Amino acid sequence: MNLVLIGTFKQERDADNVNTFIDKIVEQAAKDEAYDISRSAPEDQRFSDDMLSLLRANRAYSLSPTDLEQFALDHSIDRDGNRITVRTEEADLSAFIKVFVEAGARVEIFSAHDYPEDKSKQD
């Protein structure tokens, strides 16, 4: 898909907090083998205790166990000031969108196939 997601935050501090939070989710998702959650039986689609603690500590209440798979899949994250850019070949970015919007970001999504120029530098 070659999708690009850009979150523009009101302050650099907000972007820094979200970037740190995403790093922690990615690390915990890898430990939890989150890439398998969506393939599990519905009754087995649960947060680990460590992930649940992390989500509660960051007041991230909109994420579901199946959303965590997105953090375990291949993506790149770049931060520049008050902007965070996520690039991925995956079709679903809803978990990242939830985290960005909950933190008050303005969100832009586009295909780098259709818009190959780096839109994060434009305004």
Side-chain angles (χ1 to χ4, degrees), residues 32-107:
D32 295 346
E33 298 181 356
Y35 52 84
D36 273 343
I37 290 176
S38 66
R39 292 172 195 76
S40 301
E43 62 273 10
D44 294 330
Q45 294 178 359
R46 299 186 182 130
F47 295 119
S48 70
D49 290 339
D50 290 337
M51 183 64 81
L52 192 54
S53 293
L54 175 63
L55 296 175
R56 282 184 181 149
N58 289 276
R59 298 180 182 167
Y61 302 117
S62 66
L63 294 174
S64 70
T66 55
D67 286 332
L68 299 180
E69 181 176 35
Q70 294 170 41
F71 297 105
L73 298 174
D74 191 36
H75 64 273
S76 68
I77 297 178
D78 297 304
R79 181 170 161 247
D80 183 16
N82 68 334
R83 288 184 176 198
I84 298 176
T85 303
V86 179
R87 297 177 194 285
T88 186
E89 292 295 327
E90 302 301 324
D92 192 359
L93 288 169
S94 62
F96 290 96
I97 295 167
K98 290 175 184 180
V99 170
F100 284 12
V101 170
E102 281 186 345
R106 183 183 71 203
V107 175

Side-chain angles (χ1 to χ4, degrees), residues 17-34:
N17 291 340
V18 168
N19 196 53
T20 299
F21 177 51
I22 289 173
D23 287 345
K24 290 178 181 178
I25 292 176
V26 168
E27 181 180 334
Q28 190 60 50
K31 288 179 187 175
D32 295 346
E33 298 181 356

Side-chain angles (χ1 to χ4, degrees), residues 5-21:
L5 167 69
I6 300 171
T8 305
F9 298 84
K10 291 180 181 176
Q11 298 179 17
E12 283 188 37
R13 179 183 71 231
D14 298 331
D16 186 48
N17 291 340
V18 168
N19 196 53
T20 299
F21 177 51

Side-chain angles (χ1 to χ4, degrees), residues 83 106 108 117-123:
R83 288 184 176 198
R106 183 183 71 203
E108 178 182 9
E117 203 170 309
D118 186 359
K119 299 274 292 184
S120 68
K121 305 293 185 206
Q122 299 176 2
D123 265 334

